[in-house]
Amino acid sequence: MEGECALIDAIYMLLPALEFNMTVNSNTPTLPVMKKYCVRIHIQSNCGSKSSDFSFTLDGFPKLKSFSVESNSLKQCASLIIRDSPLLKSVKVDSNCFMKAGSSLGALEITACPALAIISIGENSFNHATNVILHTLPSLVFFEFYASNFVDASYFSLWQLDRFETLVIP
C-alpha cells in the first residue's frame, strides 16, 4: 500500500511536466480532455466531415503551441473559437474547412493568445462565417486568407494587434 501511494505521488508530481501532441483523425470519437498538457493539435484531412457540431472551441489550453486542420475537415462546423492559450504560436486551417451554411452565427474568433504570431486560412474555409474576431493578439505579425473566405462576413474586428505587419490575400 505504501509503495502504491509513493508511485501515485510520483506520477502526480510529474504531471505538470507532461506534454503531448494530439492527432485527430476520422477514428477519433471526441477530442480528449487533456488540455492542460497538449502542445499541438493536428486534425487530419476529411476528419469530422459528418459532424454537425456548430462550433469547434479550444478554451484555456495553457501549453498549446500549434493548431492545424488539414483540407476538407470539420466542414459541417460553422465556427472556430480559440481563447486563452498563452503559448499558441500558429493557427493553420487548410482549404474547405468550417463551411457550414445556413447559420448566421458562424465565426472565426481568436482571442487572448499573446504568443500567436501566424494565422493562415486556406481557400473556401469559413466562407459562411459572419463574424471574424481577432482580439488581444499582441504578437500577431502575419494573417493570410483568400477572397473566398469570409464571403458572408458582416462583422470584422481586429483589436490589440500591437505587432501586426502583414496581411496576405492571394
Side-chain angles (χ1 to χ4, degrees), residues 17 26 54 63 65 73 97 121 141 163 165:
S26 59
F54 175 72
K63 291 186 176 185
K65 294 180 182 175
S73 296
C97 302
I121 309 295
V141 293
R163 295 186 186 135
E165 295 177 4

Side-chain angles (χ1 to χ4, degrees), residues 2 8 12 16 35 41 44 48 64 71 83 85 91 110 113 128 140 142-143 148 153 157 167 170:
E2 285 182 36
I8 291 171
Y12 279 114
K35 69 183 191 178
I41 296 175
Q44 293 182 335
L64 185 65
S71 294
R83 294 185 198 116
S85 296
V91 171
I110 304 175
C113 298
H128 294 291
L140 185 68
F142 183 86
F143 182 30
S148 61
S157 178
L167 175 63

